[in-house]
């Protein structure tokens, strides 16, 4: 992609973002379930170590000692004892880590999906089957058992000459409904007299609006001590409490106005400017210094019968380009559209935009927050 195409892409992206963000009100109404999480009702990560068998020679090599040791230990559980110090040399086996998420409220016997990832140097898990693997939580207790055929979305193929082709990631796969819940995770959601709502984005204004809306709808049952959580008195009867929470989550809340942000992703060159960002009066110049050094060889050929020798001499060409270095000015209180218009008129690249906005922030000319991810 040439420089002109990059400038057009940046301009189209920024203008499209401006139109989308400008269409939204400064304080958008949100459903309560989008703003808070309920304490005691959350997901819990599970992890386990297992082995995948049935691979067509694409498993771990003999260099992966823990894979062969796992096979020896498994065979010992089935009464097969191998000689002391012997390794189970099989390329049809791969050591894997199995991860899953325990959804809130799941009961014993319900299935969940699992992800299987190679731990050694296996080339592919395609066609393999995961053997029975216990999945543990942070307390080191087993909460689920995983087993089943691994579904792999990638593939890898190699020839005898050493050439190979890899599509996606063949060393990671999933097993839909591959684990069964064996132990439930206790929660105090149904036993506490109050239900605590935790804001996903802490805000004093949003917390106040939530309390006001709940009390207006259900009476004086909600209160808050800070900008992070709200305590709500809920019915003691479990059925009534569930119905109460269903109505509570569907309440419409006026979200508090947040500090406008500029988000940079230096790895991909992505720049996102939120609506509401303003700049103070500032003059900016942004130029680039480019130094180009080109090397070439010059052949000196002597004349006929001169007795001279052909000689090769190096030739260096050094050029310096300082760029245009234009200066531009934003008026005080300039909004998002004005910023985009000025940047696009200069044909700035994403790197230029990041450099300009970072310099403005250091000068205290941006009324917002810069975030680098």
């Amino acid at each position: 992609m040439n420089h002109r195409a990059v400038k057009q892409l940046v301009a189209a992206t920024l203008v499209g973002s401006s139109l989308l963000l400008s269409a939204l009100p400064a304080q958008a109404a949100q459903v309560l379930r989008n703003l808070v999480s309920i304490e005691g009702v959350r997901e819990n990560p599970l992890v386990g170590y297992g082995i995948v068998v049935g691979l067509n020679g694409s498993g771990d090599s003999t260099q992966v000692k823990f894979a062969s040791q796992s096979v020896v230990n498994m065979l010992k559980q089935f009464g097969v004892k191998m000689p002391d110090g012997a390794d189970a040399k099989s390329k049809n086996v791969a050591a894997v880590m199995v991860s899953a998420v325990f959804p809130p409220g799941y009961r014993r016997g319900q299935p969940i999906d699992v992800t299987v990832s190679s731990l050694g140097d296996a080339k592919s898990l395609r066609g393999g089957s995961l053997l029975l693997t216990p999945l543990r939580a942070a307390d080191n207790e087993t909460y689920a058992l995983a087993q089943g055929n691994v579904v792999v979305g990638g593939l890898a193929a190699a020839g005898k000459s050493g050439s190979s082709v890899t599509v996606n990631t063949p060393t990671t796969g999933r097993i839909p409904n591959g684990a069964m819940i064996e132990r439930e995770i206790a929660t105090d959601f149904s036993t506490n007299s109050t239900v605590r709502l935790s804001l996903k984005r802490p805000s004093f204004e949003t917390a106040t609006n939530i309390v006001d809306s709940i009390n207006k709808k259900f009476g004086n049952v909600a209160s808050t001590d800070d900008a992070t959580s709200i305590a709500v008195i809920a019915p003691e009867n479990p059925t009534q409490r569930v119905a109460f929470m269903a109505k509570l989550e569907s309440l419409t809340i006026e979200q508090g106005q947040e500090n406008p942000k500029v988000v940079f992703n230096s790895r991909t060159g992505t720049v996102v400017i939120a609506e509401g960002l303003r700049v103070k009066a500032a003059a900016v110049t942004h130029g680039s210094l480019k130094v180009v050094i080109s090397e070439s060889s010059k052949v000196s050929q002597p004349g006929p019968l001169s007795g001279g020798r052909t000689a090769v001499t190096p030739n260096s060409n050094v050029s310096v380009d300082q760029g245009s270095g234009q200066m531009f000015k934003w008026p005080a209180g300039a909004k998002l559209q004005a910023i985009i218009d000025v940047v696009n008129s200069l044909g700035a690249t994403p790197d230029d935009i990041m450099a300009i906005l970072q310099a403005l922030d250091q000068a205290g000319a941006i009324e917002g927050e810069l975030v680098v991810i």
Side-chain angles (χ1 to χ4, degrees):
M1 184 179 292
N2 57 32
H3 184 66
R4 183 177 181 182
V6 172
K7 292 192 294 183
Q8 293 175 349
L9 177 60
V10 172
T13 302
L14 289 175
V15 172
S17 301
S18 173
L19 294 176
L20 176 60
L21 292 172
S22 298
L24 296 176
Q27 291 183 326
Q30 295 278 344
V31 180
L32 182 61
R33 68 172 65 93
N34 296 333
L35 300 176
V36 301
S37 58
I38 303 173
E39 189 173 302
V41 182
R42 65 179 181 88
E43 296 178 340
N44 289 273
L46 303 176
V47 67
Y49 171 81
I51 57 175
V52 172
V53 299
L55 303 175
N56 187 17
S58 61
D60 292 331
S61 66
T62 55
Q63 302 297 325
V64 183
K65 299 299 182 182
F66 53 83
S68 59
Q69 184 63 43
S70 299
V71 174
V72 172
N73 293 340
M74 180 194 66
L75 294 176
K76 186 182 300 184
Q77 295 178 6
F78 289 95
V80 179
K81 185 177 180 181
M82 298 186 65
D84 294 339
D87 289 336
K89 299 179 180 180
S90 176
K91 293 185 178 181
N92 294 343
V93 178
V96 296
M97 295 302 296
V98 185
S99 58
V101 173
F102 195 122
Y106 264 44
R107 302 297 183 183
R108 185 182 293 110
Q110 289 186 270
I112 57 175
D113 297 343
V114 298
T115 300
V116 182
S117 304
S118 173
L119 188 60
D121 58 2
K123 295 180 175 58
S124 175
L125 299 181
R126 180 179 290 272
S129 298
L130 175 71
L131 297 184
L132 190 64
T133 302
L135 301 181
R136 306 174 186 270
D139 58 0
N140 205 32
E141 296 290 339
T142 299
Y143 287 90
L145 297 176
Q147 182 172 277
N149 298 326
V150 182
V151 179
V152 179
L155 60 89
K160 294 182 178 180
S161 63
S163 59
S164 62
V165 175
T166 302
V167 179
N168 296 331
T169 305
T171 53
T172 299
R174 288 182 63 84
I175 306 178
N177 296 330
M180 197 70 66
I181 300 298
E182 296 296 333
R183 176 183 296 184
E184 300 172 7
I185 296 180
T187 176
D188 57 0
F189 169 75
S190 59
T191 57
N192 279 348
S193 59
T194 61
V195 174
R196 185 166 295 275
L197 310 178
S198 300
L199 270 72
K200 298 177 181 178
R201 293 181 177 271
S203 168
F204 287 105
E205 186 178 357
T206 303
T208 301
N209 293 341
I210 292 176
V211 171
D212 292 343
S213 298
I214 294 176
N215 290 338
K216 184 178 179 180
K217 177 72 174 179
F218 300 102
N220 192 20
V221 296
S223 61
T224 180
D225 297 329
D226 49 40
T228 305
S229 61
I230 297 98
V232 182
I233 301 175
E236 294 183 1
N237 182 277
T239 303
Q240 294 178 358
R241 174 169 292 207
V242 171
F244 172 77
M245 293 305 301
K247 296 178 181 178
L248 194 66
E249 286 186 332
S250 62
L251 281 179
T252 301
I253 307 296
E254 290 292 332
Q255 187 175 5
Q257 187 172 1
E258 297 183 358
N259 193 27
K261 296 181 180 180
V262 179
V263 181
F264 299 148
N265 189 327
S266 57
R267 296 184 299 275
T268 62
T270 303
V271 181
V272 178
I273 305 175
E275 177 66 24
L277 183 77
R278 297 175 183 269
V279 295
K280 299 178 182 178
V284 180
T285 178
H286 181 72
S288 58
L289 178 65
K290 182 188 297 182
V291 179
V292 180
I293 302 176
S294 58
E295 298 284 350
S296 61
S297 299
K298 184 177 181 181
V299 180
S300 177
Q301 183 70 32
L305 305 177
S306 63
R309 296 182 179 180
T310 301
V312 179
T313 59
N315 184 27
S316 301
N317 183 21
V318 180
S319 62
V320 178
D321 181 12
Q322 292 185 347
S324 59
Q326 299 179 8
M327 176 170 282
F328 54 94
K329 179 181 179 181
W330 277 310
K335 297 183 180 180
L336 175 62
Q337 189 60 52
I339 298 174
I340 292 173
D341 292 340
V342 173
V343 170
N344 287 342
S345 66
L346 297 175
T349 65
D351 290 337
D352 295 331
I353 298 172
M354 285 189 282
I356 292 171
L357 293 177
Q358 285 175 344
L360 286 172
D361 180 62
Q362 290 297 317
I366 286 187
E367 297 178 358
E369 179 184 354
L370 266 67
V371 180
V372 180
I373 60 176

